[in-house]
Amino acid sequence: MELHVHTLPKRLTLILERGERNSTFLCFRRNYYGGNWASFSFSGLLSWLKEYQENGDIVNESPAWQEQILENEEAIALSRKDKTIQHVEVFCYASRDLHEDVEEAGALQKNHASVTSANSTEAADSACLPTENESLSTVSCEMPIEQTPSSDPESALEVNDVEETGEKENHCDDKTCVPSISEEKSSENVPTAEDITEQPKKNRITYSQIIKEGRRFNIDLVSKLLYSRGLLIDLLIKSNVSRYAEFKNITRILAFREGRVEQVPCSRADVFNSKQLTMVEKRMLMKFLTFCMEYEEHPDEYKAYEEITFSEYLKTQKLTPNLQYFVLHSIAMISERASSTIDGLKATKNFLCCLGRYGNTPFLFPLYGQGELPQCFCRMCAVFGGIYCLRHSVQCLVVDKESGKCKAIIDQFGQRIMSKHFLVEDSYFSENTCSHVQYRQISRAVLITDRSVLQTDSDQQISILTVPAEEPGTSAVRIIELCSSTMTCMKGTYLVHLTCTSSETARGDLEPVVQKLFTPYAETEIENEEIEKPRLLWALYFNMRDSSDVSRNSYNDLPSNVYVCSGPDCGLGNDNAVKQAETVFQQICPNEDFCPPPPNPEDIILDGDSLQPGASESSAVSEANSETLEGSTNLQNSEEASE
């Protein structure tokens, strides 16, 4: 069963006492799944921004939890605030029709905790949105994350049984709503295949339109792609979690060179069809890529260059500057100054090995955004007995002095929840626990634009572009551009994600790249005037903490049965998260298979009964998979076809 936070706390106690003691129990202090891996509709993102601006406590907490600590126990207090997000700045460039009263489909509702209006101007103000070309106040908006507390504990918990169905649930509450696959597919606001192909003319897009169509946006906090032969794809297939999601191929890989954007040939067909390369360059490139696929079998050809960077190594391979640029920045996608020859060869081989499994590029993107993936795993966990609690904070860990192990947690209502193992996300630890931890930062930007950075006959391109670093000490900027067929933005717009390792604030790191590729949407432009760059309608900048490389030994005095997991890292793929999850799982369950395939629904027998409760789910899944969106990829079906 799945636990949402809306009913009386005592119902949680009843569940835990009703033979569910061996179940997995998960508390989220936020009101949505996934933490910093989540994605939001436009109204949900405005709500998320408003929580930062308010900077209030996450939840109402019991003030007397210290009194529950016994003489033979001690407490490790947890942080009441999530400080993983900083330096939030928003810019609205689209014209704002202040006379048009527009309500967004699925806009947030008013409640006792906070009042959020769906009116376009009020929503902008509540989210600390500035007037055109004006930034957020650094005083009011560059604050660490906070959740708005619920003022009524009696309405804090709600228990819902998870139905065994193949359709995806919609995880909502009175504050915000993370849209799910099945809801979006059935919603009249989702663009159909006809909508996608019949794009509107170059009409001026206003902020009111973005608000009105806000449910068509699914905006990720973290921007990643899935390597087609990466660990996450293999895990999704093995565990059968992939049945809850659909994917799109990344259609092209781009490069930014000499002030212009151009497409990079990476597959054999692309190389020979490319008009950018001469015949000599095509032969050079194919010869080098063939070597990279087999480089481990020819150590004599690279051993002498192991001590130099991959960039320097490419210069020794008789590749033209044009080819060196493409291989370094758009195929290997590694640092020009910091990556060794071995790093470059491994990255290039990985890229090439992933080609052709599901399409002409190595990458996949989940429909409705990266935030779908945590929800898919949550659903599978809930179907097999996991219990989830949203907007439910934990105040402290209770440690037994004699054994030195954690024995319980005390939640926001002052009740104890006992367990043998405790998995804690890094952001929950207090400053005292993390006093010796050194964090890196990720700079992120999310843009809404009116067209692609590289126009082609098709306006449904999904692209990845790398802009190299220009100055020492800075990082290359990775750009992922999503079209409306990914179900992440309204038709006629593109959703653009920029990511790099931070050297300063997100705006300081990323705004120069934004200025190179886009032009602000100025109201004074003539409607039919042709402009060289896409027009920028809306922009969000923020910094996110990267704790992926923090050693467990860096935390102060953690009991041995408390395990730490990090938030998102800066990498393009998800291998780090999968490795971390498997490592923790093996520590807790050393003799168990990590994410094994679930049993066939027809084989499940409950309490000696011969009923088959999963049959309807299997039927629903098959029916759902038969009605996939045009151009989307079902991992298992595609894998079977390729074999």
Side-chain angles (χ1 to χ4, degrees):
M1 61 185 59
E2 187 170 358
L3 196 63
H4 290 277
V5 183
H6 288 296
T7 59
L8 296 176
K10 64 183 180 181
R11 296 189 64 180
L12 171 59
T13 304
L14 291 175
I15 289 174
L16 296 176
E17 291 178 351
R18 198 175 54 200
E20 301 283 353
R21 294 184 181 274
N22 292 325
S23 297
T24 301
F25 175 67
L26 301 99
C27 282
F28 296 84
R29 60 183 165 196
R30 297 159 176 164
N31 51 7
Y32 52 85
Y33 292 100
N36 286 344
W37 298 84
S39 56
F40 299 97
S41 68
F42 196 77
S43 69
L45 191 65
L46 297 185
S47 175
W48 183 79
L49 291 170
K50 188 172 185 289
E51 290 167 355
Y52 283 85
Q53 178 190 3
E54 290 177 343
N55 198 28
D57 287 344
I58 295 171
V59 292
N60 288 335
E61 297 185 348
S62 171
W65 65 266
Q66 294 91 341
E67 299 176 2
Q68 301 187 39
I69 305 300
L70 306 179
E71 291 184 2
N72 64 336
E73 299 173 342
E74 59 183 2
I76 299 178
L78 299 179
S79 175
R80 298 168 61 207
K81 301 177 182 179
D82 186 336
K83 300 180 180 180
T84 59
I85 304 294
Q86 293 182 333
H87 309 301
V88 179
E89 298 184 75
V90 177
F91 298 84
C92 183
Y93 299 99
S95 58
R96 301 171 70 183
D97 189 350
L98 302 181
H99 302 290
E100 185 178 357
D101 187 15
V102 178
E103 181 172 320
E104 177 195 353
L108 304 180
Q109 302 297 318
K110 296 180 181 181
N111 62 21
H112 55 268
S114 64
V115 179
T116 307
S117 172
N119 179 274
S120 61
T121 56
E122 293 179 6
D125 292 338
S126 70
C128 197
L129 289 180
T131 57
E132 183 176 349
N133 299 333
E134 180 184 350
S135 168
L136 286 174
S137 165
T138 56
V139 174
S140 62
C141 295
E142 293 187 10
M143 301 298 292
I145 185 169
E146 295 295 333
Q147 290 287 352
T148 305
S150 171
S151 60
D152 184 8
E154 296 295 313
S155 63
L157 291 171
E158 179 180 4
V159 179
N160 294 322
D161 289 335
V162 175
E163 298 179 359
E164 292 189 296
T165 171
E167 296 180 1
K168 185 115 181 215
E169 296 169 339
N170 180 30
H171 307 296
C172 298
D173 64 14
D174 52 60
K175 266 298 280 216
T176 190
C177 175
V178 180
S180 62
I181 288 181
S182 63
E183 181 205 36
E184 293 289 347
K185 286 182 180 178
S186 62
S187 171
E188 62 181 0
N189 295 305
V190 173
T192 62
E194 183 178 349
D195 293 331
I196 292 171
T197 55
E198 295 180 4
Q199 291 294 335
K201 296 180 180 179
K202 289 280 184 179
N203 292 329
R204 194 171 295 278
I205 298 174
T206 65
Y207 183 71
S208 297
Q209 286 178 279
I210 296 175
I211 289 287
K212 183 178 180 181
E213 304 288 345
R215 279 296 292 258
R216 298 197 186 192
F217 288 91
N218 284 288
I219 302 172
D220 295 320
L221 294 184
V222 60
S223 179
K224 289 180 176 290
L225 298 177
L226 285 74
Y227 280 94
S228 65
R229 295 190 186 276
L231 296 180
L232 183 55
I233 291 290
D234 293 341
L235 184 63
L236 288 167
I237 295 172
K238 172 189 173 185
S239 63
N240 215 18
V241 171
S242 60
R243 66 171 140 176
Y244 299 124
E246 294 292 333
F247 300 83
K248 279 276 192 179
N249 291 109
I250 304 304
T251 57
R252 60 187 184 176
I253 296 171
L254 306 178
F256 183 76
R257 187 163 178 259
E258 297 178 351
R260 68 178 186 274
V261 178
E262 51 191 28
Q263 188 166 348
V264 177
C266 50
S267 67
R268 181 181 294 272
D270 289 342
V271 170
F272 285 106
N273 292 329
S274 175
K275 297 180 181 179
Q276 303 165 254
L277 305 178
T278 66
M279 287 302 299
V280 174
E281 285 182 316
K282 291 178 182 180
R283 287 194 293 269
M284 286 180 180
L285 182 58
M286 287 307 304
K287 181 180 179 181
F288 180 74
L289 295 181
T290 301
F291 162 71
C292 289
M293 284 291 294
E294 306 168 349
Y295 80 93
E296 293 168 311
E297 301 174 12
H298 307 283
D300 295 340
E301 297 189 26
Y302 67 87
K303 281 290 185 181
Y305 305 101
E306 286 184 326
E307 302 301 322
I308 63 175
T309 65
F310 187 56
S311 175
E312 295 171 332
Y313 171 73
L314 292 176
K315 296 175 183 178
T316 70
Q317 298 303 297
K318 300 180 181 179
L319 298 176
T320 65
N322 197 29
L323 296 180
Q324 292 176 36
Y325 189 93
F326 286 163
V327 171
L328 180 64
H329 298 294
S330 300
I331 296 180
M333 297 183 185
I334 59 175
S335 170
E336 183 174 356
R337 300 180 179 90
S339 298
S340 68
T341 297
I342 296 298
D343 293 336
L345 292 173
K346 286 181 179 178
T348 303
K349 180 179 179 178
N350 181 53
F351 181 99
L352 297 172
C353 287
C354 293
L355 285 173
R357 188 181 192 187
Y358 297 112
N360 291 329
T361 70
F363 305 111
L364 293 174
F365 182 81
L367 291 181
Y368 305 99
Q370 290 284 333
E372 284 300 298
L373 298 180
Q375 293 194 77
C376 290
F377 281 99
C378 287
R379 178 167 177 76
M380 179 63 81
C381 178
V383 166
F384 288 92
I387 301 171
Y388 283 79
C389 236
L390 297 178
R391 203 169 60 207
H392 194 100
S393 184
V394 177
Q395 301 187 81
C396 72
L397 305 174
V398 181
V399 180
D400 182 78
K401 290 182 178 179
E402 183 178 349
S403 65
K405 291 190 174 183
C406 184
K407 59 192 293 188
I409 60 173
I410 297 179
D411 69 5
Q412 67 194 68
F413 303 105
Q415 56 185 357
R416 284 193 174 212
I417 301 175
M418 311 290 288
S419 182
K420 294 181 180 179
H421 304 281
F422 300 84
L423 179 60
V424 184
E425 203 266 331
D426 172 89
S427 65
Y428 283 74
F429 291 121
S430 67
E431 292 183 0
N432 290 336
T433 303
C434 302
S435 60
H436 296 99
V437 176
Q438 297 293 323
Y439 293 111
R440 294 182 299 185
Q441 295 288 325
I442 303 170
S443 290
R444 291 276 292 113
V446 180
L447 315 177
I448 301 174
T449 67
D450 69 339
R451 62 184 176 91
S452 175
V453 292
L454 182 62
Q455 291 284 82
T456 62
D457 294 338
S458 171
D459 56 3
Q460 292 301 309
Q461 299 281 2
I462 311 171
S463 311
I464 177 172
L465 165 66
T466 302
V467 179
E470 290 189 347
E471 300 178 3
T474 61
S475 300
V477 176
R478 183 177 69 244
I479 301 173
I480 297 175
E481 183 184 69
L482 306 172
C483 61
S484 58
S485 66
T486 62
M487 304 301 158
T488 59
C489 57
M490 60 181 276
K491 60 182 179 180
T493 65
Y494 284 81
L495 188 66
V496 184
H497 292 274
L498 292 85
T499 307
C500 73
T501 301
S502 301
S503 56
E504 49 179 304
T505 66
R507 183 185 171 195
D509 286 334
L510 300 174
E511 192 174 50
V513 176
V514 173
Q515 292 173 347
K516 289 179 182 179
L517 296 172
F518 307 96
T519 186
Y521 198 116
E523 293 186 55
T524 56
E525 284 182 349
I526 302 173
E527 192 153 320
N528 295 326
E529 179 184 354
E530 291 293 331
I531 57 173
E532 183 179 350
K533 302 176 183 177
R535 284 180 280 203
L536 182 59
L537 306 174
W538 187 86
L540 164 67
Y541 298 93
F542 62 92
N543 288 93
M544 177 183 290
R545 178 192 292 176
D546 180 0
S547 57
S548 60
D549 66 339
V550 176
S551 168
R552 188 186 187 281
N553 297 329
S554 300
Y555 301 97
N556 297 329
D557 303 323
L558 285 185
S560 60
N561 62 334
V562 173
Y563 308 90
V564 184
C565 65
S566 71
D569 64 315
C570 196
L572 175 60
N574 297 273
D575 283 3
N576 182 73
V578 176
K579 290 177 181 177
Q580 186 177 134
E582 184 170 10
T583 298
V584 172
F585 179 84
Q586 295 297 342
Q587 290 173 346
I588 298 174
C589 307
N591 299 318
E592 300 289 336
D593 185 17
F594 178 58
C595 283
N600 209 334
E602 287 80 4
D603 298 334
I604 298 176
I605 299 176
L606 300 178
D607 298 327
D609 196 343
S610 60
L611 294 178
Q612 299 174 354
S616 61
E617 179 180 12
S618 177
S619 174
V621 171
S622 299
E623 182 178 350
N625 286 342
S626 67
E627 299 178 356
T628 57
L629 294 172
E630 181 180 358
S632 64
T633 298
N634 178 277
L635 297 185
Q636 283 147 320
N637 293 346
S638 298
E639 181 71 2
E640 290 170 3
S642 65
E643 293 176 353

